[in-house]
Amino acid sequence: MWVLLVSFALAAPCTLSGSVAGPTGLLGGVEVVFAPAVALPERFEGSGGVFELPGEPAARVVTDASGHFVVPELAQGRWHASVVQPGLVPGTVPPILCAPGSAPTVALTLVGGDVTLRGRLTDPAGRVVVGRAVVSR
């Protein structure tokens, strides 16, 4: 008789916390969206390293009355955080690394006013890239 024992080690989540601020101070009741960072294929790598875009949203939290939030069990990996509030420019931060047992913090800031972004996205060879998102930070 054979007995097969299988053991799985689940990756420990991290606890991420932070705040959202606007032109007049910290903002309560604002939704913060977290999406895993997805690396673009090698052909889009540039001299600055691998480009990452947000994947599908995987976690959402709402800031408390004082503008703070906590995500108690975010899976390991690299995460994009974003927040949108009517009348303000959307806020994002560079990808956040969630390592086992870590507790990263993030501060998202929304600014007022009209912002126009114009330009052309090209690959390292100078060819125009079509159908890709552009994120301004």
Side-chain angles (χ1 to χ4, degrees):
M1 174 180 203
W2 291 88
V3 175
L4 177 63
L5 297 176
V6 179
S7 172
F8 293 98
L10 297 177
C14 76
T15 297
L16 188 141
S17 61
S19 61
V20 177
T24 60
L26 293 172
L27 301 173
V30 176
E31 182 181 58
V32 183
V33 177
F34 295 89
V38 177
L40 291 176
E42 287 182 20
R43 68 178 186 272
F44 291 106
E45 289 183 10
S47 59
V50 176
F51 294 109
E52 295 178 320
L53 294 176
E56 292 297 317
R60 297 172 187 270
V61 296
V62 176
T63 59
D64 63 18
S66 66
H68 294 90
F69 63 87
V70 175
V71 184
E73 294 189 358
L74 197 59
Q76 289 183 40
R78 294 173 60 77
W79 291 88
H80 282 271
S82 62
V83 62
V84 176
Q85 187 73 358
L88 300 175
V89 176
T92 61
V93 292
I96 306 153
L97 177 61
C98 267
S102 67
T105 60
V106 61
L108 292 135
T109 303
L110 305 175
V111 295
D114 294 327
V115 174
T116 301
L117 177 66
R118 292 191 180 122
R120 181 172 51 174
L121 183 62
T122 60
D123 66 14
R127 296 179 298 250
V128 174
V129 176
V130 179
R132 294 290 178 192
V134 176
V135 178
S136 175
R137 299 182 202 272

